[in-house]
Amino acid sequence: MAELQFIVEVIDKSGLAVWIDDAAALTEEGWSGSADAWAALVGARDAARAVADDKGATQDEVDAAADLLAGAIDADTVKPEATLAAPTTAGPFSSLDLQVDATDDRGLSQIVANVYKGDTLIASTQSEIADGALSGSHAANVPLPDGAYTLRYNAHDVGGNVSATGTFEFTIDATAPTATVKEGSEFTVATGQTYDRVSFKLHDAGKIDKVELNGVVKDLSNNNWSDINFVAPGVFGAVQGANTLIVYDVAGNTQTVTFTLN
């Protein structure tokens, strides 16, 4: 009579037990990762305990549970870092040109920069970061009406972590300055549509920066009101005949005035 032989598979659960112990030492209060990552860890821990208690679990099931729990414990818990590269001053600007740079130890997914007026969201901009790159940049030009605004920006990584949100206050001045011919013979002497001499009163709510007359630049004192007086041939770059005056405000807006001198 042939002898019957039975092969009993020995299931090794020692590695799984180590990961279960490691998971048991973690608490939600001490977890530095995202809420989603904690929920995944809890699910993997509970599933691992069930497999460890299952006397009929196969080695493949034990190994899979151990791998899942190990991955959850080793989840990405480090937040990315976001830095505002531009603007670097509060303005005023004619429009907002922004750039946010970000880094992450495992990979970025998105960089976001939003513009608020008070508590109201005015504009939202973002860039997706391809292939989970460890560093990236987001740049955007945002036209805005005149006023004061706050930029709020952050970065997201592939593990769902979000950087601290940075804020930056700035001002927009998208309105061109004005240049008005000054009345009175002590300032302006007109002959029909031409001038023997002419003077201009300059104004901008965001302050006058400079004037350029036929390519000759005259810097001004950055006030809301300014003047350019007694313009005649040979003065401030003026010439007999056609002249072009460009007025700049500190935000970079311009107003162009053409006039003819006798």
Side-chain angles (χ1 to χ4, degrees):
M1 183 175 180
E3 181 179 352
L4 296 176
Q5 292 183 340
F6 295 93
I7 299 175
V8 178
E9 181 182 7
V10 178
I11 306 300
D12 181 6
K13 296 184 178 181
S14 60
L16 179 59
V18 170
W19 287 115
I20 292 173
D21 289 342
D22 288 348
L26 300 174
T27 64
E28 185 172 6
E29 292 74 15
W31 183 252
S32 59
S34 66
D36 288 344
W38 175 255
L41 171 61
V42 171
R45 180 197 64 197
D46 293 345
R49 286 173 175 169
V51 171
D53 293 339
D54 183 2
K55 293 181 172 56
T58 66
Q59 189 65 56
D60 286 344
E61 291 171 334
V62 171
D63 293 343
D67 290 343
L68 181 63
L69 184 53
I73 291 173
D74 192 37
D76 183 1
T77 62
V78 178
K79 294 181 179 181
E81 294 185 0
T83 304
L84 183 64
T88 57
T89 66
F93 311 110
S94 56
S95 64
L96 174 64
D97 285 303
L98 67 89
Q99 179 178 327
V100 179
D101 297 336
T103 59
D104 187 72
D105 64 331
R106 298 198 187 184
L108 295 164
S109 64
Q110 187 182 50
I111 303 174
V112 178
N114 294 331
V115 178
Y116 288 80
K117 190 171 183 62
D119 293 327
T120 302
L121 177 63
I122 301 299
S124 180
T125 70
Q126 57 275 320
S127 288
E128 303 297 326
I129 306 302
D131 302 322
L134 301 183
S135 63
S137 293
H138 165 59
N141 174 266
V142 186
L144 295 164
D146 292 1
Y149 299 89
T150 300
L151 180 65
R152 300 178 186 174
Y153 57 93
N154 58 35
H156 303 238
D157 69 15
V158 293
N161 302 297
V162 181
S163 72
T165 297
T167 62
F168 188 84
E169 295 182 352
F170 64 94
T171 302
I172 292 293
D173 171 19
T175 302
T178 60
T180 306
V181 174
K182 297 175 72 171
E183 302 293 337
S185 58
E186 69 272 30
F187 294 109
T188 300
V189 176
T191 305
Q193 299 300 312
T194 62
Y195 300 95
D196 293 336
R197 70 167 178 262
V198 62
S199 302
F200 296 93
K201 174 65 72 174
L202 312 177
H203 178 258
D204 189 82
K207 298 182 180 180
I208 298 292
D209 178 30
K210 63 185 178 181
V211 293
E212 180 181 328
L213 181 55
N214 301 324
V216 178
V217 176
K218 178 178 177 62
D219 195 26
L220 300 173
S221 55
N222 291 2
N223 291 315
N224 299 119
W225 293 93
S226 191
D227 302 272
I228 177 168
N229 292 323
F230 317 123
V231 179
V235 177
F236 299 143
V239 296
Q240 185 176 18
N243 291 263
T244 300
L245 174 69
I246 305 174
V247 184
Y248 294 81
D249 67 16
V250 296
N253 303 297
T254 62
Q255 181 70 264
T256 299
V257 178
T258 58
F259 58 94
T260 301
L261 292 174
N262 299 320

